[in-house]
Amino acid sequence: MAINFEFVFTSFMILLISSVQTSSAQLSRGFYNSTCPNVEQLVRAAVTQKLQQTFVTAPSTLRLFFHDCFVRGCDASVLLVSPTNQAEKSHPDDVSLAGDGFDTVVKAKVAVDSDRQCRNKVSCADILALATRDVVNLAGGPFYEVELGRRDGRISTIASVQHHLPSPNFNLDQLNSLFSFNGLSQTDMIALSDAGREVSR
């Protein structure tokens, strides 16, 4: 499987910038300094181990972050499950998400919660944002600071996915309109779309 890391890194930066713009008033670099000062090291260690197990961890985690941020903002609502299969992850657009992306977040969350000081203090939304940064960095992209303080969403429905993620049947105008609505350009759309294709190869 060949992965184009120029596109993957570009996609990561777009999502990072987009998520900061969405929640800039709530985010800060030292958000967990008093409650979980080692959160970044804990997440990175878990991500490093996961990436050593399977290289698809990088693009699948990036794509998971993209799907999460585009629907309800970067709130980890894509991770929620429903006993009746009515959550976001059951939507046809999300069914194709690689399990390695979800597994990366689960393992990072377990690592964070294994520290008594951190247990139940760090949102899954922040863990997903950190894990995405780390997989891209460990796969060859630069390291960038991630502001933290996202809150986990409590709402996750199939209906909320509609009209938020690009359909395979969208024409160029529809794609440009959707990405423009999220503050992204046509260049951004091409980069994200290419990163998504790389995951499925």
Side-chain angles (χ1 to χ4, degrees):
M1 178 183 65
I3 297 175
N4 187 325
F5 283 103
E6 180 179 353
F7 281 115
V8 171
F9 171 66
T10 302
S11 305
F12 162 73
M13 288 306 299
I14 291 164
L15 286 173
L16 180 60
I17 292 167
S18 177
S19 65
V20 169
Q21 289 175 340
T22 302
S23 310
S24 58
Q26 305 169 7
L27 305 182
S28 66
R29 289 186 181 177
F31 188 82
Y32 295 107
N33 281 354
S34 61
T35 55
C36 183
N38 297 324
V39 61
E40 296 205 32
Q41 293 91 333
L42 292 166
V43 171
R44 190 172 183 88
V47 168
T48 300
Q49 184 175 17
K50 174 66 180 173
L51 193 59
Q52 289 170 347
Q53 294 169 353
T54 171
F55 201 65
V56 76
T57 295
S60 60
T61 305
L62 172 66
R63 187 165 179 246
L64 179 65
F65 189 47
F66 164 57
H67 279 235
D68 182 50
C69 291
F70 249 49
V71 175
R72 303 187 64 87
C74 306
D75 66 349
S77 56
V78 72
L79 302 176
L80 296 176
V81 291
S82 162
T84 57
N85 296 321
Q86 294 301 308
E88 288 175 36
K89 66 190 306 183
S90 295
H91 189 280
D93 290 343
D94 285 340
V95 168
S96 65
L97 290 171
D100 283 298
F102 292 98
D103 191 47
T104 301
V105 180
V106 168
K107 288 183 174 175
K109 174 68 172 167
V110 168
V112 170
D113 283 349
S114 68
D115 184 317
R116 290 184 179 181
Q117 185 177 356
C118 300
R119 190 171 300 156
N120 298 321
K121 301 281 179 62
V122 181
S123 69
C124 290
D126 277 340
I127 289 174
L128 175 54
L130 286 171
T132 302
R133 184 271 310 276
D134 288 341
V135 294
V136 172
N137 175 238
L138 290 166
F143 179 89
Y144 283 88
E145 296 291 340
V146 175
E147 294 186 330
L148 302 171
R150 295 165 187 80
R151 301 299 183 193
D152 287 337
R154 298 185 178 186
I155 300 171
S156 182
T157 64
I158 287 179
S160 67
V161 178
Q162 292 179 330
H163 311 300
H164 287 94
L165 293 174
S167 163
N169 300 320
F170 273 14
N171 61 35
L172 182 59
D173 289 339
Q174 289 172 307
L175 287 170
N176 284 334
S177 176
L178 176 63
F179 279 75
S180 177
F181 178 79
N182 286 279
L184 302 173
S185 69
Q186 185 178 75
T187 300
D188 300 332
M189 178 267 292
I190 292 168
L192 284 165
S193 299
D194 186 74
R197 283 196 302 272
E198 295 293 347
V199 174
S200 62
R201 287 182 184 176

